[in-house]
Amino acid sequence: QVQLVESGGGLVQAGESLRLTCRASGQFTKLNVLAWHRQAPGRQRELVASVTFGGITSYGESVKGRTTITRDNVANTIELQMTSVEPEDTAVYICYANALLGTGFSYDYSGPGSQVIVSS
């Protein structure tokens, strides 16, 4: 099992920067992928950014160019840095992990989420 705990978020002024951190803990062999998703009211959950164990990153189209995801494989953490935030970035930001367990199978996990509100 994997536990994910998010920190950061809250109220952010438009045009400023946002930083979110997620720490993974529990019993797992490897965290294949760590990512941030977000879900705004009335909208589907979408990818913000992801990073593989080997460091390959991927970004959602709406945040590309102003977002950076970094990963620490020793501390099992990821950090999301987003600049020039907009009211449209208001959402619950959810930490996600795909983890390889000792059983040899991989499973998906999500954290409880961190609310981000961008005020104009």
Side-chain angles (χ1 to χ4, degrees):
Q1 295 294 321
V2 176
Q3 292 79 46
L4 301 169
V5 178
E6 300 109 338
S7 60
L11 183 64
V12 187
Q13 295 289 325
E16 295 186 345
S17 296
L18 169 68
R19 187 170 77 109
L20 298 170
T21 301
C22 175
R23 179 180 298 275
S25 62
Q27 298 295 321
F28 51 85
T29 299
K30 180 182 173 183
L31 295 170
N32 297 317
V33 176
L34 291 170
W36 287 98
H37 296 162
R38 69 184 183 185
Q39 185 161 23
R43 301 188 66 176
Q44 287 191 331
R45 180 163 160 166
E46 64 174 353
L47 172 72
V48 179
S50 68
V51 56
T52 67
F53 184 83
I56 298 172
T57 58
S58 179
Y59 295 92
E61 285 299 318
S62 62
V63 303
K64 199 174 291 186
R66 59 189 181 96
T67 301
T68 302
I69 188 169
T70 56
R71 175 171 178 160
D72 184 329
N73 285 335
V74 175
N76 293 320
T77 59
I78 52 171
E79 183 175 281
L80 183 79
Q81 296 262 14
M82 184 184 295
T83 61
S84 303
V85 297
E86 307 161 349
E88 292 72 25
D89 293 317
T90 295
V92 175
Y93 284 70
I94 303 160
C95 184
Y96 160 89
N98 178 270
L100 174 65
L101 303 187
T103 60
F105 293 94
S106 294
Y107 299 88
D108 296 327
Y109 300 89
S110 291
S114 179
Q115 177 72 58
V116 172
I117 298 174
V118 180
S119 63
S120 56

